[in-house]
């Protein structure tokens, strides 16, 4: 039977809300036609409690969390209809123009922009924790020469918890994170050390010795220094590229409750340490549908190749034969504000590294998407991934390193949500499921069980066997391809490194 739903008329005003505006009591009226009863549930800041439906013997089915709020947060605000993104109330455009990544990280984690003294203390503490234990370096050296850098980051971040046993809630109990000094110490460590792990992963791939951090440089400058320095005693990254990467980190620092941030909160709800939480979040970011989206957009532009090929490609998209990567967003129904800033940043990078022909293809695709009714009706506007891959390529970063750069920036956002959840004392996450399995059945003894008929024709087994043999050949080819890619990366690293150096 159906249930009728209606929003009741506003009642008398209540006391002012925490946001300072006078609030009104609003309710949702639900008539359950199974029994004729009518129920009323309060609407709190455009949400209703899911426990209300539990009282009716129902649960809310929301596959993929398309419209489920699992927490209340004051960190990040998004208005997808208007293309607005704010960190702690500040527009992302203003922060990207006027602040540094470390300054924005402080804002996300602690709620306010730091004073000059607070920023100095914060920067000192973070940079003091950029060094990693020598045993961690030995651990990273044990990876294969062609190991994916994101796999190294996930593994090393998880392993970091074993280097700081005093921070292990598994050993000392979750009450250790009731101490603010303990919380801050792990924040300093993670924001400081993740870029170091990333630089080590990069140099491991190209067979170069690892570079120790330099506290004479700022956060992003130090990262590029660890990536590119050879034997010079005074190597300095190009300041234009340092600032460009700083802006990109700001744009990627947080984005509400995305997949990896949801993983952070879910893991944090168990009481485990933040190193394990960040490793789990980074693992979620590793997925091509999340942190790998900019790589997919870049490959699409490379496949298009020239401006002349765009019309044919657009027709394939409309015929649903190809996907338009880097356009559209689960949240935004308008232009992603980060995409505009990425495009401006791209021009600055091209002034140093030379203009990429891919940018002309990107600009033309954007023009078509913003003027063609097909794309407008489907809200397919450029998102942050559309231009970020072009910038990373121009700066010389290997394609499989893109999610690592994303992880460096998003660590600040993950930790902001971790700290907020500690303060909220949220219960352990335990989503419900809608069971879709078989009904009760009788147990059959082993001797009486019969194998089910194969789903495919008899030739399927032989085909599967042949496929397995072919997979061995393909596997050998894949290994040789990875080895060649690693060798090529090492050969090209010198050119990238010289280009990224200060003139």
């Amino acid at each position: 039977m159906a249930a009728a739903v209606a929003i009741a008329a506003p009642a008398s005003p209540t006391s002012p809300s925490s946001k300072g505006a006078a609030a009104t009591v609003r309710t949702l009226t639900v008539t359950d036609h199974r029994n004729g009863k009518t129920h009323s549930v309060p609407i709190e800041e455009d949400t209703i409690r899911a426990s209300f439906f539990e009282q009716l013997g129902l649960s809310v089915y929301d596959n993929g969390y398309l419209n489920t709020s699992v927490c209340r947060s004051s960190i990040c605000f998004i208005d997808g209809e208007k293309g607005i993104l704010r960190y702690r109330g500040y527009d992302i455009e203003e922060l990207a123009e006027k602040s540094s990544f470390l300054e924005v990280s402080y804002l996300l984690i602690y709620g306010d922009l730091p004073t000059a003294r607070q920023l100095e203390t914060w920067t000192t503490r973070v940079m003091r924790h950029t060094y990693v234990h020598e045993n961690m370096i030995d651990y990273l050296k044990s990876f294969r020469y062609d190991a994916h850098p994101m796999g190294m980051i996930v593994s090393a971040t998880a392993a970091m918890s074993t280097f700081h046993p005093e921070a292990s809630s598994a050993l000392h109990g979750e009450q250790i994170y009731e101490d603010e000094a303990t919380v801050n110490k792990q924040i300093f460590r993670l924001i400081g050390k993740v870029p170091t792990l990333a630089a080590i992963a990069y140099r491991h791939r190209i067979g170069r010795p690892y570079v120790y951090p330099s506290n004479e440089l700022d956060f992003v400058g130090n990262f590029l220094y660890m990536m590119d320095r050879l034997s010079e005693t005074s190597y300095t990254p190009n300041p234009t590229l340092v600032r460009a990467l700083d802006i990109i980190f700001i744009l990627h620092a947080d984005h509400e409750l995305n997949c990896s941030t949801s993983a952070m909160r879910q893991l944090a709800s168990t009481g485990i340490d933040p190193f394990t939480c960040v490793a789990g979040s980074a693992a979620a970011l590793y997925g091509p549908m999340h942190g790998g989206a900019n790589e997919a957009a870049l490959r699409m532009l490379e496949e298009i190749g020239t401006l002349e090929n765009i019309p044919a490609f657009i027709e394939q998209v409309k015929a649903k034969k190809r996907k338009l990567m880097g356009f559209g967003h689960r949240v935004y129904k308008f232009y992603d504000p980060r995409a505009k800033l990425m495009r401006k940043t791209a021009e600055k990078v091209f002034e140093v590294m030379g203009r990429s022909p891919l940018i002309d293809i990107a600009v033309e695709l954007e023009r078509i998407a913003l003027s063609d009714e097909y794309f407008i009706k489907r809200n397919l506007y450029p998102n942050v991934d559309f231009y970020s891959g072009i910038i990373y390529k121009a700066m010389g970063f290997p394609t499989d390193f893109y999610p690592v750069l994303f992880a460096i920036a998003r660590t600040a956002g993950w930790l902001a949500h971790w700290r907020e959840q500690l303060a909220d004392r949220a219960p352990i996450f335990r989503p419900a499921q809608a069971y879709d399995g078989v009904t009760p059945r009788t147990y059959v003894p082993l001797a009486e069980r019969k194998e089910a008929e194969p789903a495919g024709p008899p030739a399927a087994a032989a085909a599967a066997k042949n496929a397995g043999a072919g997979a061995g050949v393909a596997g050998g080819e894949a290994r040789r391809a990875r080895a060649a890619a690693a060798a090529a990366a090492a050969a090209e690293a010198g050119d990238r490194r010289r280009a990224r150096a200060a003139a």
Side-chain angles (χ1 to χ4, degrees):
M1 299 292 289
V5 180
I7 296 182
S12 58
T14 62
S15 59
S17 71
S18 60
K19 296 184 178 180
T24 57
V25 175
R26 295 191 301 158
T27 60
L28 187 73
T29 301
V30 178
T31 300
D32 188 343
H33 289 287
R34 296 174 300 177
N35 53 29
K37 292 183 179 180
T38 298
H39 307 269
S40 181
V41 58
I43 300 173
E44 305 171 10
E45 297 183 7
D46 294 330
T47 66
I48 60 172
R49 293 188 177 275
S51 57
F52 163 74
F53 293 98
E54 185 179 12
Q55 299 170 14
L56 305 182
L58 301 170
S59 64
V60 179
Y61 179 67
D62 186 12
N63 191 12
Y65 295 143
L66 299 180
N67 188 36
T68 297
S69 299
V70 298
C71 69
R72 294 194 181 277
S73 177
S74 60
I75 297 170
C76 182
F77 171 80
I78 299 173
D79 186 333
E81 298 293 335
K82 298 179 181 178
I84 295 173
L85 171 62
R86 298 188 185 119
Y87 294 166
R88 299 285 192 178
Y90 293 97
D91 286 333
I92 189 65
E93 295 88 347
E94 190 170 19
L95 290 173
E97 178 185 352
K98 300 177 180 178
S99 288
S100 68
F101 172 70
L102 275 190
E103 191 176 7
V104 170
S105 298
Y106 184 100
L107 168 69
L108 288 169
I109 294 169
Y110 298 108
D112 291 298
L113 287 169
T115 64
R117 183 182 63 81
Q118 289 171 331
L119 181 59
E120 181 181 4
T121 301
W122 164 249
T123 301
T124 300
R125 295 291 173 83
V126 169
M127 297 304 294
R128 187 179 294 168
H129 285 282
T130 52
Y131 278 78
V132 297
H133 198 286
E134 288 295 311
N135 291 156
M136 174 62 80
I137 294 178
D138 293 337
Y139 172 69
L140 290 165
K141 286 181 178 178
S142 69
F143 282 86
R144 281 177 56 94
Y145 65 92
D146 59 351
H148 195 293
M150 196 61 176
M152 295 179 68
I153 293 297
V154 171
S155 302
T157 306
M160 206 187 304
S161 64
T162 67
F163 286 82
H164 305 290
E166 78 284 359
S168 173
S169 53
L171 294 176
H172 304 290
E174 61 180 308
Q175 73 279 355
I176 63 174
Y177 288 113
E178 295 175 5
D179 177 46
E180 187 69 13
T182 301
V183 170
N184 288 336
K185 186 72 170 287
Q186 312 328 310
I187 291 173
F188 300 150
R189 282 170 168 166
L190 277 159
I191 292 181
K193 295 182 191 302
V194 168
T196 305
L197 298 177
I200 291 173
Y202 169 77
R203 293 180 73 99
H204 180 84
R205 167 68 70 85
I206 61 177
R208 286 185 183 166
Y210 308 151
V211 175
Y212 288 102
S214 170
N215 290 341
E216 296 180 1
L217 299 169
D218 64 14
F219 182 83
V220 177
N222 172 63
F223 170 61
L224 290 178
Y225 169 86
M226 291 188 292
M227 293 274 289
D228 292 330
R229 178 181 176 267
L230 291 179
S231 60
E232 309 94 331
T233 56
S234 59
Y235 175 76
T236 304
N238 188 294
T240 299
L241 301 184
V242 170
R243 178 54 184 160
L245 193 57
D246 199 49
I247 291 173
I248 294 173
F249 282 176
I250 290 172
L251 300 181
H252 278 141
D254 193 58
H255 205 240
E256 204 209 42
L257 217 60
N258 50 77
C259 179
S260 58
T261 305
S262 299
M264 179 60 156
R265 282 190 174 262
Q266 183 135 349
L267 288 164
S269 74
T270 71
I272 197 62
D273 64 83
F275 303 100
T276 304
C277 291
V278 169
S281 300
L285 190 67
Y286 197 173
M289 296 300 291
H290 191 5
N294 51 16
E295 178 181 344
L298 177 66
R299 294 196 188 284
M300 176 193 72
L301 295 173
E302 291 175 335
E303 288 176 12
I304 294 173
T306 65
L307 292 171
E308 291 73 23
N309 293 334
I310 291 179
F313 176 80
I314 291 295
E315 291 306 313
Q316 288 181 315
V317 171
K318 292 180 178 180
K320 302 188 184 303
K321 295 180 180 179
R322 297 291 300 272
K323 285 187 176 182
L324 186 61
M325 307 304 297
F327 284 78
H329 196 278
R330 170 79 70 85
V331 175
Y332 294 109
K333 309 305 177 188
F334 191 66
Y335 205 111
D336 184 340
R338 300 170 299 171
K340 296 179 182 179
L341 297 166
M342 280 288 187
R343 182 173 172 180
K344 292 180 181 178
T345 303
E347 295 297 342
K348 295 291 185 181
V349 171
F350 295 153
E351 290 176 5
V352 176
M353 306 298 291
R355 186 176 180 84
S356 168
L358 296 179
I359 191 65
D360 296 323
I361 300 173
V363 170
E364 178 61 13
L365 279 177
E366 179 182 344
R367 184 194 67 77
I368 293 173
L370 296 179
S371 59
D372 191 306
E373 190 64 24
Y374 177 89
F375 299 106
I376 294 173
K377 286 169 58 176
R378 290 165 174 77
N379 297 315
L380 293 178
Y381 297 95
N383 61 42
V384 69
D385 299 312
F386 187 55
Y387 285 106
S388 60
I390 302 174
I391 297 173
Y392 290 154
K393 182 177 178 65
M395 292 182 69
F397 292 112
T399 306
D400 60 5
F401 201 72
Y402 296 176
V404 176
L405 297 167
F406 200 157
I408 294 172
R410 189 54 60 85
T411 296
W414 291 334
L415 291 171
H417 284 268
W418 174 68
R419 185 175 180 272
E420 185 177 64
Q421 182 144 317
L422 289 177
D424 290 345
R425 298 183 180 276
I428 187 170
F429 280 33
R430 178 56 172 87
Q433 66 164 15
Y435 180 68
D436 197 24
V438 298
T439 55
R441 47 186 175 175
T442 304
Y443 182 84
V444 179
L446 178 61
E448 299 176 18
R449 296 172 201 164
K450 297 180 179 179
E451 292 187 14
E453 291 296 325
K465 183 177 180 180
N466 293 336
V473 176
E477 293 176 350
R479 285 191 294 272
R480 288 191 291 274
R482 288 198 301 270
E492 295 174 4
D495 292 338
R496 290 198 298 266
R497 178 257 179 194
R498 284 191 292 273
R500 284 202 295 255

